[in-house]
Amino acid sequence: MRQETATAWAFVAPSVLVILGLSVVPVVWSLLLSFQADDLVTPSRWVGLDNYRALAQDPHFDQAVRNTLVYTLLYVPLSIGFGLLLALALNRRIRLVGLYRTLIFVPFVISAAAQGVLFSFILDPEFGAANAVLDKVGISPQGFLNDPGQALAALLAISLWSGTGFCVVVLLAALQDVPPSLVEAARLDGAGRLHLLRHVVLPSLGPVMVFLLLWQAITSLQVFDLVYVTTKGGPLGSTTVIVYFIWEQAFKNFTAGYGAAAAYALALALLVLAAVPRLTRSVRDRTRADRHLEGAAR
């Protein structure tokens, strides 16, 4: 038994060392860093909760939080909604359906950096293809990524172009797992398309919807590459999101402790977001158990 245990640890040890070195140690180190004033050059000094107090009073952090919330509240429902519509349209026996599915999923495979470079050329106010098309239809040129009122919406549109494909693939797989017997029984009972969608299809997609809601929310809260490549938080901070704010504080302003505090504020938000579905499920199961006990008692 001891020899088998030693052999097992010999195989597991490299992975454990990698996890400790690249995950656990940086997490603990950044947590300690969030309580210090550190410019990555001179020795750090302990400041306690001062970094977190400064975050609560920083208007730039407030703006980053607002931008992130607006982006998330728009991106999550729109990506899932468009994904559901496209999945329903592609869940049919139509000609070249495999090609359509591939074309919709391809943007998701492209890296955010490549997307940013591509759309920086397309949305360029002076030489971009977008304004050339708008000029052909008689619409005045737009600022897009250079306009504070349009930059965040432009980033949202780029993210939807790529992120919707993931939702389509997941929902399409879930639609194909809907029991055909339920669909056939509903049709025999006279259910139309809307009733079939509402009372049969959508309830079957419930767990998948919860997964997509959580996944897309976490993805949108962590957006960085696209912002860095296209706008770098501008113009006038209109596209500064939390992760870009963290990078800016740590590696541009050389206030690593302050950036670490902002990172842990984001980590706390993600933990709360991840805990919500589990808490909701536990409350729902407890309510069902209580109702079952009450029914049995009666």
Side-chain angles (χ1 to χ4, degrees):
M1 182 65 70
R2 292 179 180 178
Q3 184 177 1
E4 291 180 356
T5 302
T7 304
W9 274 109
F11 281 105
V12 173
S15 299
V16 172
L17 292 176
V18 170
I19 293 174
L20 289 175
L22 299 180
S23 299
V24 178
V25 173
V27 167
V28 175
W29 178 76
S30 61
L31 177 61
L32 295 175
L33 186 63
S34 68
F35 298 105
Q36 303 175 40
D38 194 327
D39 59 2
L40 300 178
V41 179
T42 60
S44 60
R45 58 186 177 85
W46 190 267
V47 295
L49 296 175
D50 288 352
N51 287 328
Y52 292 95
R53 295 191 186 99
L55 276 179
Q57 301 174 358
D58 190 345
H60 298 291
F61 181 69
D62 291 342
Q63 185 182 26
V65 171
R66 287 196 302 270
N67 292 337
T68 306
L69 289 177
V70 170
Y71 178 88
T72 301
L73 292 175
L74 291 175
Y75 174 75
V76 174
L78 288 176
S79 62
I80 297 177
F82 289 148
L84 179 60
L85 292 177
L86 290 172
L88 290 172
L90 295 175
N91 192 33
R92 300 179 180 181
R93 295 181 180 179
I94 56 178
R95 189 177 181 183
L96 300 178
V97 66
L99 175 62
Y100 300 147
R101 293 174 180 174
T102 302
L103 291 177
I104 290 175
F105 184 71
V106 163
F108 176 73
V109 182
I110 302 174
S111 67
Q115 296 173 33
V117 173
L118 172 64
F119 281 95
S120 293
F121 286 106
I122 294 176
L123 301 179
D124 185 270
E126 296 183 4
F127 309 105
N131 273 332
V133 174
L134 293 178
D135 183 65
K136 294 293 184 181
V137 297
I139 300 177
S140 59
Q142 303 296 313
F144 296 119
L145 296 174
N146 292 342
D147 188 341
Q150 300 179 1
L152 189 61
L155 290 180
L156 175 65
I158 298 172
S159 300
L160 289 174
W161 175 76
S162 61
T164 302
F166 175 75
C167 296
V168 171
V169 171
V170 174
L171 289 171
L172 188 59
L175 285 173
Q176 294 176 354
D177 285 338
V178 175
S181 58
L182 292 178
V183 178
E184 190 65 26
R187 287 176 176 171
L188 292 175
D189 289 339
R193 290 185 178 180
L194 292 179
H195 289 84
L196 189 65
L197 176 65
R198 179 181 177 184
H199 298 288
V200 177
V201 176
L202 290 182
S204 301
L205 299 180
V208 176
M209 285 292 191
V210 173
F211 162 74
L212 283 178
L213 184 65
L214 183 61
W215 180 272
Q216 294 294 83
I218 293 175
T219 301
S220 59
L221 289 174
Q222 294 180 327
V223 62
F224 170 77
D225 298 6
L226 187 61
V227 176
Y228 180 79
V229 174
T230 54
T231 63
K232 289 183 168 53
L236 302 178
S238 59
T239 59
T240 299
V241 291
I242 293 180
V243 179
Y244 185 84
F245 176 86
I246 294 170
W247 174 87
E248 191 174 42
Q249 296 302 319
F251 302 107
K252 189 175 180 181
N253 298 338
F254 295 102
T255 52
Y258 191 57
Y264 267 88
L266 174 61
L268 180 61
L270 292 176
L271 286 175
V272 171
L273 182 64
V276 167
R278 179 168 296 182
L279 292 175
T280 304
R281 190 182 304 113
S282 62
V283 171
R284 184 179 57 197
D285 294 342
R286 187 178 303 173
T287 302
R288 290 179 178 175
D290 292 341
R291 290 178 180 176
H292 180 72
L293 291 175
E294 290 178 359
R298 292 176 183 177

